[in-house]
Amino acid sequence: MATSKGLALVFGTKATVKVYDSANVLPLAAGIATIESMDITHECDTEQIKNSSGEVIANVSSGDRLSATFNIIPSGATTGDAKLAALIPNGNGRVNVTVADSISIGSAFTAGPPITVSDSINGDWIYIGGGSLKFTQSGKAMLSLPCVKYAGINGATAAITL
């Protein structure tokens, strides 16, 4: 365990990740999704409103969201369990993050009930496709899952068949 003298730091990734399919079923039964890193970005759509002279008189923002890529080391008590943790879900799958540092990013993205305005990372994320599983000859496998979180969509609900 790392320690620091002097300044306190936000250090390491303490999160636990569970991966579900779009029907909200937990196919990852025995494996452990050990998080290696996560990259989280706040995004929104913006439009500049200009007057007849071309000067910006307003900036409109909407569609606040968080985008994240969770990089996971598939692991488990056995090789079979580790292979189970190498799951890439189908589109609109659920990626549940717990035990991460409570940090507010963007607006009030919450971890679900109870609603908290200071915790953007924990909670349910929507898998948006593009996940990858990287193998090397000399190192650990790495699973990368791109996800998104919207303030108004509960990532824990099952996807609706249209």
Side-chain angles (χ1 to χ4, degrees):
M1 169 180 265
T3 61
S4 173
K5 283 192 177 189
L7 295 176
L9 308 169
V10 177
F11 186 83
T13 55
K14 303 165 191 72
T16 300
V17 176
K18 290 183 181 177
V19 180
Y20 300 76
D21 66 13
S22 63
N24 206 21
V25 174
L26 179 64
L28 172 61
I32 301 166
T34 304
I35 193 145
E36 169 81 6
S37 66
M38 54 186 160
D39 183 15
I40 301 171
T41 304
H42 173 262
E43 299 173 343
C44 63
D45 302 317
T46 59
E47 180 181 356
Q48 295 177 333
I49 309 300
K50 297 181 182 182
N51 64 15
S52 59
S53 301
E55 295 298 319
V56 175
I57 57 170
N59 191 69
V60 179
S61 172
S62 63
D64 275 298
R65 61 196 174 273
L66 297 178
S67 293
T69 299
F70 298 102
N71 297 306
I72 298 163
I73 304 167
S75 52
T78 67
T79 302
D81 290 349
K83 288 178 182 177
L84 290 174
L87 172 79
I88 296 178
N90 56 347
N92 277 330
R94 171 183 166 205
V95 176
N96 177 263
V97 178
T98 57
V99 197
D101 286 327
S102 294
I103 296 175
S104 179
I105 302 169
S107 64
F109 293 92
T110 65
I115 294 176
T116 60
V117 295
S118 63
D119 190 355
S120 299
I121 300 171
N122 289 301
D124 295 302
W125 293 75
I126 301 168
Y127 171 69
I128 58 172
S132 66
L133 184 57
K134 178 181 179 182
F135 295 94
T136 64
Q137 192 67 356
S138 60
K140 61 192 177 282
M142 185 70 67
L143 176 66
S144 293
L145 299 175
C147 297
V148 68
K149 184 189 276 193
Y150 298 95
I153 299 176
N154 183 347
T157 58
I160 300 167
T161 301
L162 302 177

